[in-house]
Amino acid sequence: MKTVLCFGDSNTWGYDPASAGLPWPRRHAIENRWTGVLARQLGADWRVIEEGMNGRTTVHDDPMVPGRNGKVALEILLETHKPIDVVVMMLGTNDLKTLFNAPAGEIATGVGVLAKMVLNSVAGPGDLPPKLLLVCPPPVGDFSGLPDLAEKFANGREKSLALPPRYETLAAQLGCAFLNTQDFVVPCEADQIHLEASEHEKIGNAVAEELQRF
């Protein structure tokens, strides 16, 4: 049996856009999250580990919400779940927040720090590194009708649209696989960040297709 670790933020956690306005976040059903779709598509020969967290960044500490630094979490998770055959990593959306003031190139640099942690680790079978599928997250949408989010993600859409070529270049430099969800996924109407179940289905199917080539 092969093990795949899915490492990401709220769109890996499975945040349901219908949670907007509620005092607590709600998740899509397990089978409707992209990780659940992935597990179904890969079948019994694969073990899918879901490690998504709301607000997770690449390498930044969020002063508003502790424990969101992906660099800190990844080191623990690689050790916790090894041996891991493949890591699927989809991060960068929360780095778009105004408080981090990170341009697209620096967001990709943060992703690169995490990617190198995976590829230089001994978390794979036989103390070798796991393989890596680097996934560029979906774009964020138009916040013009959402003033609070427009302030929280100033220039977020423009920066998110600049991420794919940078992630693709990074993947080529590191020799890992790459998937651009911006080719086929759109954010929800409610908050222009999170994904409806239909978009989770697309990601799960696309990731499964990539992993079946490994």
Side-chain angles (χ1 to χ4, degrees):
M1 176 179 287
K2 292 184 177 181
T3 295
V4 54
L5 172 66
C6 300
F7 184 63
D9 53 29
S10 56
N11 279 327
T12 296
W13 186 79
Y15 186 101
D16 185 347
S19 296
L22 296 178
W24 58 86
R26 187 168 63 191
R27 305 173 85 169
H28 287 295
I30 293 173
E31 63 273 15
N32 292 333
R33 300 172 205 158
W34 72 260
T35 50
V37 175
L38 175 64
R40 183 171 68 246
Q41 293 292 73
L42 292 177
D45 291 337
W46 286 78
R47 174 175 174 245
V48 176
I49 299 173
E50 180 184 77
E51 283 288 358
M53 186 179 195
N54 292 330
R56 178 172 282 151
T57 69
T58 59
V59 298
H60 302 288
D61 291 315
D62 189 330
M64 310 297 181
V65 191
R68 265 51 181 183
N69 189 322
K71 183 179 179 182
V72 176
L74 182 58
E75 184 175 15
I76 296 168
L77 295 174
L78 290 173
E79 184 69 22
T80 299
H81 295 297
K82 72 178 188 181
I84 302 163
D85 293 277
V86 185
V87 174
V88 178
M89 185 162 58
M90 186 171 74
L91 280 173
T93 300
N94 289 298
D95 293 52
L96 298 168
K97 290 178 179 176
T98 309
L99 69 90
F100 299 124
N101 194 31
E106 288 189 6
I107 294 173
T109 298
V111 171
V113 169
L114 302 183
K116 290 172 186 174
M117 287 175 64
V118 173
L119 296 173
N120 292 326
S121 75
V122 293
D127 284 345
L128 295 173
K131 295 179 181 178
L132 175 64
L133 173 58
L134 182 60
V135 181
C136 184
V140 299
D142 179 5
F143 295 126
S144 59
L146 300 164
D148 289 345
L149 285 172
E151 184 176 40
K152 190 175 183 179
F153 287 89
N155 300 314
R157 179 163 177 79
E158 292 77 8
K159 288 195 290 184
S160 73
L161 292 173
L163 293 178
R166 289 171 168 83
Y167 280 45
E168 186 172 17
T169 297
L170 174 65
Q173 290 170 344
L174 297 176
C176 67
F178 170 72
L179 176 66
N180 180 20
T181 66
Q182 295 195 19
D183 286 338
F184 53 90
V185 173
V186 295
C188 70
E189 292 288 338
D191 64 17
Q192 300 293 326
I193 296 172
H194 296 106
L195 307 177
E196 301 289 359
S198 59
E199 305 307 294
H200 277 267
E201 182 84 17
K202 294 175 186 177
I203 295 177
N205 288 333
V207 171
E209 186 175 341
E210 290 292 330
L211 295 190
Q212 285 162 351
R213 298 191 183 106
F214 278 40

